[in-house]
Amino acid sequence: SNCNHLAMLTTALGCSRALRGLGGRAKRFCILSEVDLPTSLAGSKFVSVRLHSAAEQLKPSDGRKGEKSIGVGDRGAGLVYRDGRPSTSQAFAGRELEAQFPRAGVWVVKIQPPLDVSSDSAGGIGRITPTTLLLSDRRWGFVRFVREEDDGHFPLLRCALSEARQVAYRYAEEFEDDGQRLRVYTEVLPSPEQMGF
């Protein structure tokens, strides 16, 4: 509910205020202080995304009868983003083990759809590149994928496609609700100095 969400955001803002006193350590985790957040954020629209392990998201899906199972990296030339190709599953798993969940506070998430480097885009016949979104923070301490079939995919894709470079930056916060989740505020853009990473 909105009341519950407002309470969570207020708690996050309080944590951000406390982190301000930590100096440089707060910046390392990309948490924004309350003074850096727009007042309109508390009442703005958001989408909630269930966080799956990046290694799980990259794993091949079960092949149908007579077909070979394929993973995200097996489609066309594999997934390629403006920031490059995804890392290995082992590297993702290591980052996820090191991360503390949920992070207290609000931070900026980068949302990237893949670039179409499939053979279809070059006029050949091949597998179509799926629009698996890459979500990351400034320091790559948070890296997750959102596949087409995941809840929240379309609103996040729309955010990215509405930008000139087709890369979106939005405020986000982690929370627990029957598993790990990410709340992404879709209508409020961060300030220019908080974007561009």
Side-chain angles (χ1 to χ4, degrees), residues 3-176:
C3 291
N4 191 17
H5 161 64
L6 186 57
M8 289 176 79
L9 182 60
T10 304
T11 302
L13 292 174
C15 292
S16 294
R17 189 181 303 122
L19 285 170
R20 220 177 323 158
L22 296 176
R25 286 185 288 170
K27 287 184 177 176
R28 186 171 63 230
F29 296 107
C30 308
I31 303 296
L32 301 173
S33 68
E34 187 176 356
V35 296
D36 292 329
L37 297 174
T39 54
S40 60
L41 192 61
S44 70
K45 288 187 179 177
F46 61 87
V47 63
S48 175
V49 178
R50 181 171 301 285
L51 296 177
H52 301 281
S53 162
E56 281 294 312
Q57 294 284 66
L58 290 173
K59 203 168 79 173
S61 57
D62 295 330
R64 291 181 286 198
K65 188 175 181 179
E67 290 183 359
K68 183 177 97 173
S69 64
I70 57 173
V72 166
D74 297 325
R75 312 272 182 108
L79 289 179
V80 180
Y81 296 89
R82 288 201 183 277
D83 288 342
R85 291 189 186 275
S87 188
T88 64
S89 296
Q90 292 81 10
F92 285 128
R95 275 194 202 116
E96 289 169 14
L97 285 174
E98 291 173 9
Q100 218 175 1
F101 187 89
R103 284 195 262 191
V106 178
W107 44 280
V108 175
V109 67
K110 183 177 188 177
I111 306 163
Q112 299 180 70
L115 302 172
D116 190 358
V117 294
S118 68
S119 56
D120 282 349
S121 68
I125 298 174
R127 294 188 174 116
I128 296 173
T129 302
T131 56
T132 300
L133 302 173
L134 171 62
L135 276 56
S136 60
D137 67 1
R138 180 179 294 274
R139 307 234 186 242
W140 291 91
F142 174 90
V143 179
R144 298 294 172 98
F145 293 96
V146 180
R147 296 192 299 193
E148 294 171 12
E149 62 268 20
D150 294 339
D151 288 341
H153 176 273
F154 185 70
L156 295 178
L157 177 63
R158 191 169 45 215
C159 287
L161 296 181
S162 69
E163 301 294 331
R165 292 193 67 231
Q166 297 190 345
V167 172
Y169 297 89
R170 296 294 187 272
Y171 292 108
E173 60 184 328
E174 297 171 332
F175 67 102
E176 188 82 33

